[in-house]
CSV table of all heavy atoms in Angstrom, one decimal:
chain,number,residue,atom,x,y,z
B,262,LEU,N,116.6,80.2,122.1
B,262,LEU,CA,117.8,79.5,122.4
B,262,LEU,C,118.9,79.8,121.3
B,262,LEU,O,118.7,80.0,120.3
B,262,LEU,CB,117.5,77.9,122.4
B,262,LEU,CG,116.3,77.5,123.4
B,262,LEU,CD1,116.2,76.1,123.3
B,262,LEU,CD2,116.8,78.0,124.8
B,263,ASP,N,120.2,79.6,121.9
B,263,ASP,CA,121.4,79.6,121.0
B,263,ASP,C,121.7,78.2,120.8
B,263,ASP,O,121.8,77.4,121.8
B,263,ASP,CB,122.5,80.4,121.5
B,263,ASP,CG,122.3,81.9,121.4
B,263,ASP,OD1,121.6,82.3,120.5
B,263,ASP,OD2,122.9,82.6,122.2
B,264,GLU,N,122.3,77.8,119.6
B,264,GLU,CA,122.8,76.5,119.4
B,264,GLU,C,124.3,76.5,119.5
B,264,GLU,O,124.9,77.4,118.8
B,264,GLU,CB,122.4,75.9,118.0
B,264,GLU,CG,122.8,74.5,117.8
B,264,GLU,CD,122.4,73.9,116.4
B,264,GLU,OE1,121.8,74.8,115.7
B,264,GLU,OE2,122.9,72.9,116.1
B,265,VAL,N,124.9,75.8,120.5
B,265,VAL,CA,126.4,76.0,120.7
B,265,VAL,C,127.0,74.6,120.2
B,265,VAL,O,126.5,73.5,120.7
B,265,VAL,CB,126.6,76.2,122.1
B,265,VAL,CG1,128.1,76.2,122.3
B,265,VAL,CG2,125.9,77.5,122.7
B,266,ILE,N,127.9,74.6,119.4
B,266,ILE,CA,128.6,73.4,119.0
B,266,ILE,C,129.7,73.1,119.9
B,266,ILE,O,130.4,74.1,120.4
B,266,ILE,CB,129.4,73.6,117.7
B,266,ILE,CG1,128.3,74.3,116.6
B,266,ILE,CG2,130.0,72.3,117.2
B,266,ILE,CD1,127.7,73.3,115.7
B,267,THR,N,129.7,71.9,120.5
B,267,THR,CA,130.5,71.6,121.7
B,267,THR,C,131.7,70.8,121.3
B,267,THR,O,132.8,70.9,122.0
B,267,THR,CB,129.8,70.8,122.7
B,267,THR,OG1,129.1,69.7,122.1
B,267,THR,CG2,128.7,71.7,123.6
B,268,ASP,N,131.7,70.1,120.2
B,268,ASP,CA,132.9,69.4,119.8
B,268,ASP,C,132.8,69.3,118.3
B,268,ASP,O,131.9,69.7,117.7
B,268,ASP,CB,133.1,68.1,120.5
B,268,ASP,CG,131.8,67.2,120.2
B,268,ASP,OD1,131.2,67.3,119.2
B,268,ASP,OD2,131.3,66.5,121.2
B,269,ASP,N,133.8,68.5,117.6
B,269,ASP,CA,133.7,68.4,116.1
B,269,ASP,C,133.2,67.0,115.8
B,269,ASP,O,133.4,66.6,114.8
B,269,ASP,CB,135.1,68.6,115.6
B,269,ASP,CG,136.1,67.8,116.2
B,269,ASP,OD1,135.8,66.9,117.0
B,269,ASP,OD2,137.4,67.9,115.8
B,270,ARG,N,132.5,66.5,116.6
B,270,ARG,CA,131.8,65.1,116.4
B,270,ARG,C,130.2,65.3,116.4
B,270,ARG,O,129.5,64.4,116.6
B,270,ARG,CB,132.3,64.1,117.3
B,270,ARG,CG,133.7,63.7,117.1
B,270,ARG,CD,134.1,62.5,118.0
B,270,ARG,NE,133.7,62.6,119.4
B,270,ARG,CZ,134.5,63.4,120.3
B,270,ARG,NH1,135.6,63.9,119.9
B,270,ARG,NH2,134.1,63.5,121.6
B,271,GLY,N,129.7,66.5,116.1
B,271,GLY,CA,128.3,66.7,116.1
B,271,GLY,C,127.7,67.0,117.4
B,271,GLY,O,126.4,67.0,117.5
B,272,GLY,N,128.5,67.2,118.4
B,272,GLY,CA,127.9,67.5,119.7
B,272,GLY,C,127.4,68.9,119.7
B,272,GLY,O,128.1,69.8,119.2
B,273,ARG,N,126.1,69.0,120.3
B,273,ARG,CA,125.6,70.5,120.3
B,273,ARG,C,124.8,70.6,121.6
B,273,ARG,O,124.4,69.6,122.2
B,273,ARG,CB,124.8,70.7,119.1
B,273,ARG,CG,123.7,69.8,118.9
B,273,ARG,CD,123.2,69.9,117.5
B,273,ARG,NE,124.3,69.8,116.5
B,273,ARG,CZ,124.2,70.1,115.2
B,273,ARG,NH1,123.1,70.6,114.8
B,273,ARG,NH2,125.1,70.0,114.4
B,274,LEU,N,124.6,71.9,121.9
B,274,LEU,CA,124.0,72.2,123.2
B,274,LEU,C,123.0,73.5,122.9
B,274,LEU,O,123.4,74.3,122.2
B,274,LEU,CB,125.1,72.7,124.2
B,274,LEU,CG,124.8,72.8,125.6
B,274,LEU,CD1,124.6,71.3,126.2
B,274,LEU,CD2,126.0,73.4,126.3
B,275,PHE,N,121.8,73.4,123.5
B,275,PHE,CA,121.0,74.5,123.3
B,275,PHE,C,120.9,75.3,124.7
B,275,PHE,O,120.5,74.7,125.7
B,275,PHE,CB,119.6,74.1,122.8
B,275,PHE,CG,119.5,73.7,121.4
B,275,PHE,CD1,119.8,72.4,121.0
B,275,PHE,CD2,119.2,74.6,120.4
B,275,PHE,CE1,119.8,72.1,119.6
B,275,PHE,CE2,119.2,74.2,119.0
B,275,PHE,CZ,119.5,73.0,118.7
B,276,VAL,N,121.2,76.5,124.6
B,276,VAL,CA,121.2,77.2,125.9
B,276,VAL,C,120.5,78.6,125.6
B,276,VAL,O,120.4,79.1,124.5
B,276,VAL,CB,122.5,77.6,126.4
B,276,VAL,CG1,123.2,76.4,126.8
B,276,VAL,CG2,123.4,78.3,125.4
B,277,CYS,N,120.0,79.2,126.6
B,277,CYS,CA,119.3,80.5,126.5
B,277,CYS,C,120.2,81.5,126.0
B,277,CYS,O,121.4,81.5,126.4
B,277,CYS,CB,118.8,81.1,127.9
B,277,CYS,SG,117.5,80.2,128.6
B,278,SER,N,119.7,82.4,125.1
B,278,SER,CA,120.5,83.4,124.5
B,278,SER,C,120.6,84.6,125.4
B,278,SER,O,121.6,85.3,125.5
B,278,SER,CB,120.0,83.8,123.1
B,278,SER,OG,119.6,85.2,123.1
B,279,ASP,N,119.5,84.7,126.3
B,279,ASP,CA,119.6,85.8,127.4
B,279,ASP,C,120.3,85.3,128.6
B,279,ASP,O,119.8,84.6,129.4
B,279,ASP,CB,118.2,86.3,127.7
B,279,ASP,CG,118.1,87.4,128.6
B,279,ASP,OD1,119.1,87.7,129.3
B,279,ASP,OD2,117.0,88.1,128.7
B,280,THR,N,121.6,85.6,128.7
B,280,THR,CA,122.5,85.0,129.8
B,280,THR,C,121.9,85.4,131.2
B,280,THR,O,121.9,84.6,132.1
B,280,THR,CB,123.9,85.5,129.6
B,280,THR,OG1,123.9,86.9,129.4
B,280,THR,CG2,124.6,84.9,128.4
B,281,ASP,N,121.5,86.7,131.3
B,281,ASP,CA,121.0,87.2,132.6
B,281,ASP,C,119.8,86.3,133.1
B,281,ASP,O,119.8,85.9,134.2
B,281,ASP,CB,120.8,88.6,132.5
B,281,ASP,CG,120.0,89.1,133.9
B,281,ASP,OD1,120.6,88.8,134.9
B,281,ASP,OD2,119.0,89.8,133.7
B,282,PHE,N,118.9,86.2,132.2
B,282,PHE,CA,117.7,85.4,132.4
B,282,PHE,C,117.9,84.0,132.9
B,282,PHE,O,117.5,83.5,133.9
B,282,PHE,CB,116.7,85.5,131.2
B,282,PHE,CG,115.4,85.0,131.5
B,282,PHE,CD1,114.3,85.7,132.1
B,282,PHE,CD2,115.0,83.7,131.1
B,282,PHE,CE1,113.1,85.2,132.4
B,282,PHE,CE2,113.8,83.1,131.3
B,282,PHE,CZ,112.8,84.0,132.0
B,283,CYS,N,118.8,83.4,132.1
B,283,CYS,CA,119.2,82.0,132.3
B,283,CYS,C,119.9,81.8,133.7
B,283,CYS,O,119.6,81.0,134.5
B,283,CYS,CB,120.1,81.5,131.2
B,283,CYS,SG,120.5,79.8,131.2
B,284,ALA,N,120.8,82.8,134.0
B,284,ALA,CA,121.5,82.8,135.3
B,284,ALA,C,120.5,82.9,136.4
B,284,ALA,O,120.6,82.2,137.5
B,284,ALA,CB,122.6,83.8,135.4
B,285,GLU,N,119.5,83.8,136.2
B,285,GLU,CA,118.5,84.0,137.4
B,285,GLU,C,117.8,82.8,137.6
B,285,GLU,O,117.5,82.5,138.8
B,285,GLU,CB,117.6,85.1,136.9
B,285,GLU,CG,117.7,86.4,137.6
B,285,GLU,CD,116.9,87.5,137.1
B,285,GLU,OE1,115.7,87.3,137.0
B,285,GLU,OE2,117.5,88.6,136.6
B,286,ARG,N,117.3,82.1,136.5
B,286,ARG,CA,116.6,80.8,136.7
B,286,ARG,C,117.3,79.8,137.2
B,286,ARG,O,116.9,79.1,138.2
B,286,ARG,CB,116.0,80.4,135.3
B,286,ARG,CG,114.8,81.0,134.9
B,286,ARG,CD,114.3,80.5,133.5
B,286,ARG,NE,114.2,79.1,133.5
B,286,ARG,CZ,113.1,78.3,133.7
B,286,ARG,NH1,111.9,79.0,133.8
B,286,ARG,NH2,113.0,77.0,133.7
Side-chain angles (χ1 to χ4, degrees):
Chain B
L262 302 181
D263 281 340
E264 183 181 0
V265 183
I266 308 267
T267 51
D268 53 37
D269 54 5
R270 292 187 306 277
R273 58 195 52 193
L274 197 66
F275 285 88
V276 292
C277 286
S278 117
D279 187 338
T280 49
D281 170 49
F282 187 79
C283 193
E285 248 173 58
R286 272 182 57 100

